[in-house]
Amino acid sequence: MSQYVLPDLPYDYAALEPAITGEILELHHSKHHAAYVKGANDTLERLAETREKDDFSGLVGLEKTFAFNLSGHVLHTMFWDNLSPDGGGRPDGELAAAITEHFGSFDAFAKQLTAATAGVQGSGWGVLAWEPLSQRLIVEQVYDHHGNVGMNTTPVLVFDAWEHAYYLQYRNVRPDYVQKLWTLVDWADVTRRFDAARAGATGLIAPSK
Ligand code: MN
């Protein structure tokens, strides 16, 4: 039985045009995200075989592969819900107040997340996360899917900076793609995750749409 399942997108593949083309979104979801789901499930099976055979000689590689694929599945599942054809603008309420408190202003936060996303060396993500120890919002620059992350932080808004997310449309100009991502942000979804994270719940709560 598969532990992880590729979720349907909450909108059509062409729904985020012109910011993201339908061709990119279909490949991204049906090929790239699907590969992480398969990778996580396959690695779980190999871990089970490892235990059955009582041969842990390959464990280090399996643990690394599992972290990579599971984190890829988690981040993409969030990414789709963080975006909306009706997105853009700015948050309000307690999320807006927290952003101002922890970053100085919305503009300063947006510049930091934009720079974190556009400046990833290689493949990675820009992430707005809740850090529960100091009870604050932080920006993280994630490498691959799971590197450079503060332990126990909960992502609430994730920007995919892998070339597969934009290269067919934006070529080498990643900053232009990141600017367009801001026009798609579903602040209601981000707010829901922010509220859940502050309450101590997992960030990967059930999709809202
Ligand atoms: Mn991706």
Side-chain angles (χ1 to χ4, degrees):
M1 188 187 83
S2 293
Q3 297 295 308
Y4 302 105
V5 178
L6 180 69
D8 291 334
L9 282 190
Y11 33 73
D12 293 338
Y13 284 131
L16 302 183
E17 291 183 351
I20 299 174
T21 66
E23 180 187 24
I24 287 178
L25 206 54
E26 182 169 3
L27 286 168
H28 200 168
H29 174 261
S30 70
K31 302 297 183 186
H32 292 278
H33 187 174
Y36 301 130
V37 173
K38 183 177 188 304
N41 286 323
D42 287 352
T43 311
L44 275 186
E45 287 185 18
R46 293 180 63 191
L47 284 164
E49 292 167 7
T50 293
R51 292 189 297 272
E52 288 163 11
K53 294 176 180 172
D54 196 25
D55 175 7
F56 292 89
S57 58
L59 184 67
V60 172
L62 289 175
E63 297 285 10
K64 189 168 184 287
T65 299
F66 185 63
F68 176 84
N69 284 289
L70 173 61
S71 299
H73 177 36
V74 168
L75 283 169
H76 284 92
T77 298
M78 291 190 60
F79 185 52
W80 312 134
D81 273 358
N82 276 165
L83 304 181
S84 166
D86 304 315
R90 297 184 175 198
D92 52 19
E94 293 187 28
L95 176 58
I99 286 173
T100 299
E101 179 183 355
H102 299 138
F103 295 98
S105 68
F106 181 85
D107 287 340
F109 151 69
K111 284 182 180 178
Q112 185 175 343
L113 182 54
T114 296
T117 309
V120 168
Q121 294 176 320
S123 298
W125 298 71
V127 173
L128 173 66
W130 178 251
E131 196 286 286
L133 195 59
S134 67
Q135 299 275 298
R136 62 181 294 120
L137 289 165
I138 61 172
V139 164
E140 297 182 307
Q141 189 182 47
V142 177
Y143 284 94
D144 290 334
H145 301 306
H146 53 313
N148 207 36
V149 177
M151 189 62 71
N152 210 29
T153 57
T154 300
V156 297
L157 173 62
V158 299
F159 283 174
D160 192 339
W162 283 57
E163 287 185 349
H164 67 226
Y166 65 89
Y167 212 88
L168 286 176
Q169 183 175 3
Y170 294 92
R171 310 292 286 266
N172 57 310
V173 192
R174 190 193 285 169
D176 286 357
Y177 154 73
V178 179
Q179 289 301 329
K180 288 289 171 52
L181 279 181
W182 286 104
T183 70
L184 300 173
V185 174
D186 182 347
W187 288 108
D189 182 70
V190 179
T191 297
R192 192 173 61 92
R193 296 174 185 281
F194 170 65
D195 290 343
R198 282 193 304 168
T202 173
L204 199 69
I205 48 184
S208 61
K209 52 195 175 184

